[in-house]
Amino acid sequence: MSDKKQPLDLSSLDLVAKSDAGFRLELVHPASQDALGVFVTVAGTDSKRYADLQREVADKRLNKRGPKRNDFAFYEEEARRVVAGCVMGWDGVVVDGEELPYTEANALALLERFPWIREQVQTAMGDRGNYLQD
């Protein structure tokens, strides 16, 4: 009788494909950590979407013509755009009493207005365990 373990099929750890599919993050209250019933679907940092956005930012920096932008606000805006670009959709987002439909522009505006949402999304993006759940 052999106790030889079967080798792991590495396709079960295909984080690019799983990150491309997205993770459904439930937002939590920034102080109490209570679940809010608001869900944001987000691509992971191993996704093609994230890699393309990072490449786009790097290309802009390398090919920048005219005066160079070296202020913090410029880099902060680029980072916010990358995170917003990884938002794939949402459910239950209500702002100022109105349901906010998902669009790329609305994702960017949401992350600008609510930094705590951006923080939760960004944390979820980088947590590979989120994308390995079945």
Side-chain angles (χ1 to χ4, degrees):
M1 196 169 243
S2 173
D3 287 338
K4 186 173 181 184
K5 195 174 179 180
Q6 288 289 346
L8 176 70
D9 182 345
L10 292 177
S11 64
S12 68
L13 300 175
D14 185 351
L15 283 161
V16 174
K18 292 175 183 285
S19 291
D20 282 338
F23 169 70
R24 192 166 187 246
L25 165 70
E26 183 171 14
L27 297 178
V28 297
H29 189 282
S32 69
Q33 300 300 303
D34 292 334
L36 298 177
V38 177
F39 296 89
V40 178
T41 303
V42 59
T45 55
D46 288 310
S47 69
K48 182 179 181 329
R49 178 188 292 241
Y50 179 80
D52 289 347
L53 288 162
Q54 289 289 79
R55 194 172 299 109
E56 183 181 311
V57 165
D59 286 346
K60 281 183 186 176
R61 287 180 188 167
L62 292 171
N63 298 319
K64 189 88 175 141
R65 302 207 194 292
K68 292 196 178 208
R69 295 286 309 271
N70 288 323
D71 56 279
F72 181 74
F74 176 74
Y75 293 106
E76 186 177 45
E77 178 65 19
E78 283 183 331
R80 192 169 30 251
R81 287 186 182 282
V82 169
V83 175
C86 286
V87 172
M88 302 167 71
W90 58 51
D91 298 304
V93 174
V94 176
V95 177
D96 297 326
E98 298 286 329
E99 187 162 347
L100 187 66
Y102 167 77
T103 66
E104 287 184 28
N106 283 348
L108 184 58
L110 188 74
L111 298 181
E112 286 176 3
R113 182 167 174 186
F114 302 101
W116 62 269
I117 295 176
R118 176 184 171 200
E119 182 180 292
Q120 289 182 35
V121 168
Q122 197 165 6
T123 298
M125 287 170 54
D127 183 348
R128 288 184 169 130
N130 290 333
Y131 301 92
L132 292 174
Q133 298 176 12
D134 288 324

